[in-house]
Amino acid sequence: FHSFDDLIHPDDVGNTLENKIKAATFGAELFQTRYRVRMKNSQYVWIESIACVVRDPASGKLVKCVGLCRNINDQMVSLERLKNSERSLKRTQEAARLGSFSLRVETGVSRLSIEMASLIGLQDAIVHPNLATFMNLIAEGDKEKFAECVELAKLGQKISGLEISVLLPSGEIEFFQCSIEPERDPSGKVEPLFGTCQRVTDRQALE
């Protein structure tokens, strides 16, 4: 005979409800945790447990624990695949010296990818850089050209092969080749813009 805890993956022992309750601050009543459990076929599946503790009104001591468990293995497997895909994309972008940005046309909210922030030397910035930050680094002349292409993309025109020079905070000048892709909602309206910028400084030097 094995107790339930005997079936929990060694790496997840600290995530059991029992351990979560023991480590909780006084007064905590609701707990949620995830861990892997070994099945009869010796395969591990992910389980999510949600429980509420009942305490003695006088002493505050735990009297009983009531909760439920559900199998979330499919969700966790899908999440792991997504993480692996994101890691693969990150490695590919790093190797290609490629970054990206997005811009919501309606709200003006924009964001640079982590790889893009790194390419312009702002990966450690306290406030994560956005498209305006990047545009402020673009050399005069190229900045106006880039801004014009953004406006054209908002109207639905796809932009490709746009080359610009960028003055990094370090004082170095880097060259980028940019593309901007307008994406449309079901009604055909352009909503988000997605852009990529590949650093081509080495190619420029050869030319």
Side-chain angles (χ1 to χ4, degrees):
F1 175 79
H2 296 281
S3 70
F4 183 75
D5 284 357
D6 291 337
L7 303 175
I8 292 175
H9 193 286
D11 293 343
D12 299 334
V13 170
N15 292 333
T16 63
L17 275 175
E18 182 180 3
N19 285 323
K20 289 291 185 182
I21 293 171
K22 285 181 179 178
T25 56
F26 181 79
E29 296 183 349
L30 185 63
F31 298 86
Q32 182 175 6
T33 186
R34 296 173 177 178
Y35 45 83
R36 287 161 289 181
V37 176
R38 190 176 70 249
M39 308 300 284
K40 285 185 177 181
N41 60 5
S42 296
Q43 298 294 315
Y44 283 95
V45 299
W46 280 96
I47 298 295
E48 180 178 61
S49 293
I50 302 174
C52 180
V53 297
V54 179
R55 301 182 183 275
D56 182 280
S59 65
K61 291 183 178 180
L62 179 66
V63 176
K64 63 179 178 179
C65 178
V66 180
L68 57 86
C69 296
R70 66 187 183 111
N71 186 323
I72 59 168
N73 199 61
D74 288 346
Q75 296 96 308
M76 295 300 289
V77 169
S78 296
L79 179 61
E80 185 60 29
R81 287 175 179 167
L82 177 60
K83 288 180 179 178
N84 288 337
S85 176
E86 289 175 344
R87 283 194 290 266
S88 178
L89 176 60
K90 184 176 185 296
R91 286 193 292 266
T92 300
Q93 289 186 338
E94 288 174 347
R97 298 179 179 180
L98 183 71
S100 61
F101 65 85
S102 60
L103 171 66
R104 303 294 297 184
V105 175
E106 188 172 324
T107 63
V109 174
S110 63
R111 189 179 186 280
L112 303 186
S113 68
I114 295 173
E115 293 74 29
M116 188 68 208
S118 179
L119 287 173
I120 60 175
L122 293 175
Q123 66 273 21
D124 296 323
I126 296 176
V127 178
H128 191 79
N130 56 21
L131 185 58
T133 310
F134 176 58
M135 292 180 67
N136 286 335
L137 299 176
I138 300 175
E140 294 300 326
D142 287 349
K143 182 184 298 184
E144 291 74 15
K145 184 169 57 175
F146 185 90
E148 181 181 347
C149 286
V150 170
E151 293 304 314
L152 289 173
K154 289 179 181 179
L155 297 175
Q157 183 174 328
K158 182 178 178 180
I159 307 297
S160 61
L162 172 64
E163 295 197 357
I164 58 174
S165 57
V166 176
L167 179 62
L168 303 186
S170 64
E172 296 177 283
I173 296 177
E174 298 283 5
F175 293 88
F176 290 85
Q177 185 175 74
C178 305
S179 298
I180 307 174
E181 182 85 26
E183 298 181 0
R184 299 180 182 273
D185 63 19
S187 68
K189 178 183 177 182
V190 174
E191 176 40 42
L193 300 182
F194 179 77
T196 58
C197 297
Q198 183 175 26
R199 193 170 68 191
V200 294
T201 305
D202 293 344
R203 192 194 70 192
Q204 286 281 350
L206 290 174
E207 292 176 352

